[in-house]
Amino acid sequence: MKSWIRAGASAAIVLGAGAGVVMAQSSGPSSSSPFSGLFGGKGGNASSPVDVDFSVRGGDDELLPQIRATSLLVSAQDEGRVTGQDMLAAARGDYARILGVLYDNGYFSALIDITLDGTEAATIAPLDAPKLVRKVVVQVDPGPRFRYSRAEIAPVAPGTELPSEYHTGAIARTNDMKGAATAAVSGWRDVGHAKADVAETRIIADHATNKIDSRILLAPGPELRFGKLTIRGEKRMDPRRLRKIAGFPEGEKFDPEKLEDVRKRLRRSGVFSAITLTEADYIGPGNTLDVDLLVVEQKLRRLGAGFEYSNTDGLALTAYWINRNLFRGGERLRVDAGVSDIGGDTGRDYNLGVRIDRPATITADTTGYVLAQVVSQQEEDYDLKSGTFGLGFTWLPSDELTADVALQYRALRVDDDSGQTDFRLFALPASVTWDKRDDQNDAKRGYWLSGGVTPFVGLQDETGSGAQITAEGRAYYSFGQDDRFTLAGRARLGTVAGPDIEETPRDYLFWSGGGGTVRGHSYESLGVEVIQGPDGPVKTGGMSIVTLTAETRIQVREKIGLAIFADAGRVWEDSTWSGASGWQAGAGAGIRYKTPIGPLRFDLATPVGGGDGDDGGVQVYIGLGQAF
């Protein structure tokens, strides 16, 4: 007995309402998952006592690999399930799986032959399975390829993009029919018709002409508005605050993107490990659609740590502690601590910060925050101690766009060769970031743009008033098999406008050298010498900077990668990139080891030009994540 789909002049295929394609006309047994994909091939597991052989009479070159890939027989063989009962069950399931592959490739008049030691599998009752099977032969005659004599779908909402392969004269594939139906339903949902569905399908295969007549009728249903939101699953979370964070658009026209926005806001809050939004089955009064929200809260607290190492800057350790729901309103408390330059050429640096974020402050997409931070830095040319207290707002209208503005009070004390200088100021840092990378931890494609301006007002004679302006761009391009090669580039620039250099807070000035700017040169090794001290000019950061980085990343194996890079930086003593300046450049190579939380990075770099002449030798950088 053979599984076949030939029914004289024509055969009907029914496209389920809003679902998949229901196939008919096969006398072999069906499978519960006729379109699942596995892998297969002749022989399969070399140690298996069962020989599985596939053959296709005609058809395109890609048909045989697809049939092998979907076979339950080979899957069972590779997993060691080779008893007679196992082989029979897999063979009976393969009729429908192979038939699905044929339909997806435009073959609607196929003949499928599966024999177990010479006996057609479809003729063997499940309870009469042989104890042992030694030879399985799968023979497929796909028959002629069918094309559309008609490919219609209506009505279609304005702006709907249907699959380009679904048109008269094209190869008739079931996936294209399903894709057209799915796209058409989505098109109606996008304009407010939440209950749009496939009302009727008539898809007829004419075996005399090898043509498919495909007609799909849609039922858009009425335009709906969002109704009520019901909430379940919350434990510690205040339901009122949860509702505000979600920003559910009650009363607005239905839009699936707005539902996705609700999901994103709840995910960004960090409170929940699972978020499920379910539309009501029935339309409510006044053409409204209620939505059910089910959440699962994450563990309340989290602890994390990180590290980076350089042979000149020493070891840097960071750690953080988070409380995700401080006051039962989604408030996040984060404590950050770090120590760096452990074993480096200068004294150790310390930092401690506390920040509380409150989502849905003012609007659902705005997070308010307060922060306090103290920093102690001991560098070769200066010592800095600072304290910052501020409050601000972060606006997150999408996954790509982030805007931030804050008001800060800052106090700094700097000790260098010119003596001790105290700075007191109010600052208004503002920034905008546009992130179009495909992966934040290991980007292969896309770009990242950021711009910031920090106006500041001095509160005493030693502190000037002005603004620090910064911009940065990163770009990524990959090519080769599986994006094996990645070209990455970064450009950064900054300037301080307004005050003289000696009146500018030292951490608003710019330095070059080290892992964040020019690898191969010592950290902050390039500045300017303009501030006069008792013993002459004092080295300090510049008023303007430009740094450039180019990096080639090569994926050698699944978890092993290489990187080759070159960095360059220039620092100016005056605003707007003018006045005396100095430059430096470095180059090197590194190894990347892929981990679940990002690539582990090991880089070696050396100076190739510029600098102060004291940067000879090789610099070592170890860290988690790509350099940028």
Side-chain angles (χ1 to χ4, degrees), residues 225-257:
R225 294 177 293 107
F226 285 109
K228 301 291 184 181
L229 177 70
T230 58
I231 299 174
R232 297 181 294 126
E234 78 282 2
K235 295 181 179 179
R236 293 181 296 267
M237 189 71 180
D238 182 347
R240 183 185 63 83
R241 284 287 300 150
L242 194 158
R243 193 176 295 274
K244 187 172 182 180
I245 293 170
F248 182 73
E250 183 175 339
E252 298 182 19
K253 186 175 79 170
F254 175 85
D255 185 345
E257 287 296 321

Side-chain angles (χ1 to χ4, degrees), residues 275-341:
I275 302 158
T276 304
L277 287 163
T278 306
E279 300 169 19
D281 293 331
Y282 303 101
I283 298 174
N287 285 342
T288 58
L289 184 68
D290 295 340
V291 176
D292 178 75
L293 170 62
L294 175 63
V295 296
V296 177
E297 295 182 4
Q298 293 209 67
K299 292 182 179 179
L300 186 61
R301 298 172 183 86
R302 181 181 178 184
L303 182 67
F307 77 95
E308 187 163 350
Y309 175 78
S310 165
N311 63 327
T312 56
D313 304 332
L315 179 65
L317 300 175
T318 58
Y320 66 87
W321 179 84
I322 292 176
N323 184 308
R324 291 189 173 95
N325 196 7
L326 187 63
F327 304 122
R328 300 186 68 247
E331 301 86 0
R332 177 189 297 195
L333 168 65
R334 177 171 176 137
V335 180
D336 285 276
V339 55
S340 57
D341 284 348

